Amino acid sequence: MTQLTGQPATDDDVVHLTVPADGGYLGVLRTATAGLAARLQFALDEIEDLRIAVDEACAMLLAIATRDAELECRFAVTEDALTVEVTVPTVRGATLPAESSFAWKVLTALTTSASATSADDRATISLLTRRSGGY
């Protein structure tokens, strides 16, 4: 089941999207990412960069997800930035690629900042992208 809810947080908009942890559902997350970035008037190349970054982050998480897991995606929209947090339950002992890996180089090249946390058999990748001045 795919679930989409929006709830305001202070002055920001927060959107939660949960999909099965299956590559076939990543298009839903890419589309949501593009729609929210467009709402912030990101430039077309910024929107595409963010879509690629979200796709890469999800691919990293899908590789370590438990069977029948759900991929939880939280989008926080502010006046000039979009933060995307993607979380998945992980198999015991799973680790994300090292920050020196090609996958992380892609994430850091395409976003303002990228980070990861892993605790309690869950892994989260957070991406922050700020809109450039010229839109």
Side-chain angles (χ1 to χ4, degrees):
M1 169 169 290
T2 303
Q3 173 185 340
L4 179 65
T5 59
Q7 49 190 172
T10 358
D11 295 326
D12 306 338
D13 290 330
V14 178
V15 176
H16 294 271
L17 182 61
T18 302
V19 298
D22 179 291
Y25 291 92
L26 295 185
V28 174
L29 298 179
R30 286 190 301 267
T31 300
T33 300
L36 291 168
R39 179 176 174 204
L40 286 170
Q41 299 179 352
F42 276 39
L44 290 177
D45 58 334
E46 291 173 317
I47 293 171
E48 189 58 28
D49 286 352
L50 189 54
R51 284 171 37 107
I52 293 168
V54 167
D55 197 54
E56 187 67 34
C58 290
M60 290 167 53
L61 291 173
L62 290 179
I64 60 172
T66 59
R67 174 179 239 157
D68 299 325
E70 288 186 330
L71 193 63
E72 297 174 21
C73 194
R74 178 184 181 273
F75 301 90
V77 180
T78 61
E79 185 176 313
D80 68 342
L82 179 61
T83 301
V84 182
E85 293 179 354
V86 187
T87 304
V88 71
T90 60
V91 296
R92 185 170 298 291
T95 58
L96 288 164
E99 289 190 15
S100 61
S101 69
F102 178 74
W104 274 104
K105 297 220 182 287
V106 168
L107 290 182
T108 56
L110 297 175
T111 61
T112 304
S113 68
S115 63
T117 58
S118 187
D120 301 325
D121 294 327
R122 293 189 71 76
T124 301
I125 296 177
S126 300
L127 308 172
L128 168 68
T129 300
R130 294 198 181 283
R131 181 183 64 218
S132 66
Y135 51 91

